[in-house]
């Protein structure tokens, strides 16, 4: 009997859909899956109980969960979670938490898992230029990338037990500086449309934003775009020194496909490239390449998508 | 100090002593081609560099010293090949360079590496540790928070802004809904993203000093390994893509995304 513990991913107190993917990952690893849901109340835990394939839900309730604080989260979750392999999302906070929980239990941490096959876990190394296959010899904390496993369905009815926790927060949020735009973050999005230096002017990113609105996508950028234009913030940068993303669809517009850009998006399920240069390296990695200027291609793309998606 | 406008600025007031450490790691240059031969990556031909985010951590550590006083110790984990990254840190002015290693060790898993680093940091009486948000080889980002947990310290990860205060730092931490201006009291581990400072370049005097500098080697007890590396493999090959000429082909791509790929 091996038990696997999923640490639910939450956003603003609500269960994040990636949690159901983590359950599938956990069910690949062990024969019994418990979800621990960290929150200030038990609402998210109640929604977790309907995920299929879960034997138990623990609502880990505490004031410390109002904002992310690694130390108190790890302390509170550690005292709720049984022993076993811990599964977190490979999000910014999920990876941080996995490290903390592993260290707290003196076990190893394995980040960014993109495959589980029997007892073999696979993770990218060297920015995805190679893969590392490993096995665990005892408990560990792992983080699993989004879009690696199909989400577990619903229809479950696991029992929810509430465990109240009080852990001292070690860091204090003094001010939340809301994003300038309400746009989806590239790290959160299932579809991303990114622009590079080929967009020529930051104002031209408005074309990408309109497409993103139609697709429910986030807008990303290459480093050249971020470095060249003050209007394009670093938070949009995809790549080695930006964000690593793993969406279902990545559309690269006016991006050459430098190795450092590929490092952040090469695992995307489908890649579309729009570039006027037929020799651009991005075409070697694209599932669908369109050799065209964006000025010509984007209006057609917009019209087609509008017709399809309204 | 060469501050960029994106991110927040630094200011310093008091002059309380702090013992500052920066963790630096030797990794293959991010441009290096990574070959797999047999079932292991072959790194014999790659150029080695300090992991890029560690350069920002190093700069943050130097700025911390300049704002608040104290000493900066650069620490790496690895065999003698890793002395070079310590010398690089020395060349920009760190006070002390320490390599954590024991000749009986080979590849350490995260549990072992973090234990060794945490033990040395504790022994040195450090009260603030800077490190890069992740190393360019593993991309894991586990070391900062893992070391903090072992020491029982606060941590802030992936920071994109930093100000120094008398009893801690104020870090800008990215969150899903924006950026959180976060107060962190010492002792703490701060893992750094890029963008809030510009790593300084060594001058000739610094490089000369670094040549003569002694690397101190320290060891520590470590737990046994609990991860078995079975093999390395090249990234999975994708089926070759299709290329279409001209904007008039866009409708075909949209149809394929809907009907074949099922992603829109
Ligand atoms: C240590 C390090 C870290 C790095 N980290 C990152 C990173 O995180 N992310 C990242 O992206 N880069 C990173 N880089 C930079 C990377 O090497 C490239 O310089 C960068 O990705 C290039 O951006 P780009 O493709 O937008 O620009 P370019 O390489 O200039 O490419 C522009 C492309 O646009 C096309 N184009 C021009 N006009 C049009 C048009 N009208 N219509 C259609 N296409 C057009 C051109 O054919 C060209 O292919 C890093 C580099 C280093 C050394």
């Amino acid at each position: 009997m091996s038990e696997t513990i999923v640490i639910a991913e939450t956003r603003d107190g609500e269960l994040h859909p990636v949690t159901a993917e983590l359950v599938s990952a956990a069910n690949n690893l062990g024969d019994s899956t418990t979800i621990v849901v960290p929150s200030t109340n038990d609402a998210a835990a109640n929604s977790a109980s309907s995920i299929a394939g879960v034997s138990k839900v623990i609502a880990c309730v505490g004031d410390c969960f109002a904002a992310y604080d690694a130390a108190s989260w790890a302390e509170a979750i550690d005292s709720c979670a049984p022993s076993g392999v811990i599964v977190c999302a490979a999000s910014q906070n999920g990876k941080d938490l996995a490290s903390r929980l592993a260290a707290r239990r003196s076990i190893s941490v394995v980040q960014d898992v993109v495959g589980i096959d029997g007892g073999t876990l696979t993770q990218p190394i060297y920015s995805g230029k190679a893969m590392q296959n490993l096995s665990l010899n005892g408990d560990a904390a792992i983080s699993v990338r989004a879009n690696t496993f199909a989400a577990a369905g619903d229809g479950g009815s696991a029992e929810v037990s509430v465990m109240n926790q009080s852990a001292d927060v070690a860091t204090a949020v003094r001010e939340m500086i809301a994003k300038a735009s309400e746009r989806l973050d590239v790290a959160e999005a299932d579809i991303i449309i990114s622009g590079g230096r080929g967009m020529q002017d930051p104002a031209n990113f408005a074309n990408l934003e309109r497409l993103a609105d139609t697709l429910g996508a986030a807008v990303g950028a290459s480093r050249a775009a971020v470095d060249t234009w003050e209007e394009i913030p670093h938070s949009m940068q995809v790549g080695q020194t930006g964000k690593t993303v793993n969406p279902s669809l990545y559309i690269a517009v006016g991006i050459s496909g430098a190795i450092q850009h590929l490092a952040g998006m090469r695992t995307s399920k489908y890649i579309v490239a729009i570039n006027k240069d037929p020799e651009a390296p991005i075409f070697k990695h694209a599932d669908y390449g369109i050799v065209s200027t964006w000025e010509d291609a984007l209006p057609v793309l917009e019209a087609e998508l509008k017709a399809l998606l309204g | 100090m060469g501050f960029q406008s994106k991110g927040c600025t630094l200011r310093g007031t008091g002059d309380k002593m702090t013992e500052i450490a920066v963790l630096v790691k030797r990794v293959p240059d991010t441009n290096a081609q990574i070959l797999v031969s047999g079932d292991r990556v072959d790194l014999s031909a790659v150029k080695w560099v300090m992991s890029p985010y560690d350069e920002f951590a190093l700069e943050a550590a130097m700025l911390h010293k300049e704002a608040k006083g104290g000493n900066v110790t650069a620490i790496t984990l690895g065999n003698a090949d890793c002395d070079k990254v310590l010398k690089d840190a020395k060349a920009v002015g760190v006070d002390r360079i320490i390599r954590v290693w024991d000749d009986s060790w080979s590849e350490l898993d995260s549990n072992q590496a973090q234990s060794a680093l945490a033990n040395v940091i504790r022994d040195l009486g450090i009260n603030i540790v800077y490190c890069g948000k992740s190393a360019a080889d593993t991309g894991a980002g586990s070391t900062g928070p893992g070391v903090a947990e072992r020491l029982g310290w606060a941590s802030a990860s992936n920071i994109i802004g930093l100000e120094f205060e008398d009893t801690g730092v104020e870090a800008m931490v990215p969150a899903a809904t924006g950026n959180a201006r976060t107060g962190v009291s010492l002792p703490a581990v701060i893992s750094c993203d890029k963008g809030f400072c510009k790593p300084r370049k060594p001058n000739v005097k610094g490089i000369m000093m670094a040549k003569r500098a002694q690397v101190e080697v320290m060891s520590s007890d470590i737990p046994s390994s609990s991860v078995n590396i079975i093999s390395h493999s090249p990234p999975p090959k994708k089926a070759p893509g299709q290329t279409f000429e001209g904007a008039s082909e866009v409708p075909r791509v949209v149809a394929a995304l809907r009907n074949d790929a099922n992603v829109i």
Side-chain angles (χ1 to χ4, degrees), chain A residues 97-176:
Chain A
L97 193 58
S99 316
R100 278 268 181 180
L101 288 168
R104 199 170 175 86
R105 294 186 170 189
S106 295
I107 54 181
S108 280
V109 58
V110 178
Q111 304 279 20
D112 295 300
V113 170
V114 294
I116 300 175
D117 183 7
T120 304
L121 309 184
T122 301
Q123 62 179 168
I125 51 174
Y126 305 105
S127 307
K129 290 187 238 175
M131 309 305 283
Q132 174 157 278
N133 308 303
L134 55 93
S135 63
L136 304 176
N137 159 11
D139 289 347
I142 72 170
S143 68
V144 175
R145 284 213 183 149
N147 279 326
T148 299
F149 289 92
D154 44 33
S157 55
E159 180 200 331
V160 179
S161 52
V162 178
M163 294 179 77
N164 290 303
Q165 296 296 324
S166 62
D168 288 336
V169 294
T171 61
V173 176
R174 294 174 179 169
E175 186 190 4
M176 258 320 281

Side-chain angles (χ1 to χ4, degrees), chain A residues 195-200 221-229 234 237-243 250 252-265 274-283 290-297, chain B residues 29-31 52-53 194:
Chain A
R197 182 155 36 204
M199 295 305 292
Q200 283 136 16
S222 71
R223 170 159 157 186
V226 171
D227 286 356
T228 314
W229 300 308
H234 176 60
Q237 185 180 318
V238 172
Q240 176 105 41
T241 44
K243 289 180 176 146
Y250 188 91
V253 186
I255 292 179
S256 58
I259 187 128
Q260 295 90 351
H261 190 79
L262 293 169
M265 44 63 77
I274 300 175
N275 197 303
K276 68 176 185 185
D277 173 10
E279 302 298 322
I282 189 79
F283 286 127
I290 301 166
V291 182
S292 164
T293 64
W294 61 263
E295 290 92 330
D296 287 343
Chain B
D29 187 283
T30 59
N31 274 313
Y53 292 116
K194 61 172 232 167

Side-chain angles (χ1 to χ4, degrees), chain B residues 4-6 9 23 45 81 103 117 146 149 157 176 202 215 234 256 260:
Chain B
Q4 294 185 336
S5 55
K6 290 182 189 179
T9 53
L23 307 182
D81 291 341
D103 284 333
L117 288 168
E149 182 65 40
S157 296
V215 173
D260 304 339

Side-chain angles (χ1 to χ4, degrees), chain B residues 26-135:
Chain B
R26 173 185 186 257
V27 299
D29 187 283
T30 59
N31 274 313
Q33 211 190 338
I34 302 292
L35 299 170
V36 179
S37 84
D39 60 0
R40 284 288 186 278
V41 291
D42 175 4
L43 303 175
S44 55
V46 304
K47 178 181 164 214
W48 296 87
V49 296
M50 182 186 295
S51 185
Y53 292 116
D54 299 352
E55 295 185 14
F56 297 98
L58 173 58
E59 180 63 23
M62 294 305 295
L63 292 170
H64 197 143
K65 172 179 170 165
E66 285 157 7
K68 296 293 171 186
N71 292 305
V72 179
T73 303
I75 304 174
T76 196
L77 176 87
N79 65 22
D81 291 341
C82 304
D83 283 352
K84 171 77 166 62
V85 290
L86 291 174
K87 299 261 175 160
D88 290 348
K90 182 74 192 174
V92 299
V94 305
D95 300 285
R96 215 174 151 184
I97 47 179
I98 294 177
R99 183 162 59 79
V100 181
W101 194 243
D102 186 302
D103 284 333
S104 67
W105 299 349
S106 54
E107 301 236 320
L108 303 189
D109 69 15
S110 64
N111 191 23
Q112 297 174 308
Q114 292 169 22
S115 299
L117 288 168
N119 289 340
V120 168
I121 289 164
R122 191 185 294 110
D123 289 350
L124 290 170
I126 301 290
N127 49 22
I128 184 155
V129 173
Y130 290 96
C131 62
K133 73 165 182 174
S134 61

Side-chain angles (χ1 to χ4, degrees), chain A residues 96 100 126 129 174 179 289, chain B residues 32 137 155 157 170 176 181:
Chain A
D96 200 56
R100 278 268 181 180
Y126 305 105
K129 290 187 238 175
R174 294 174 179 169
K179 283 212 182 81
Chain B
D137 51 0
S155 62
S157 296
E170 183 177 86
R181 218 155 51 76

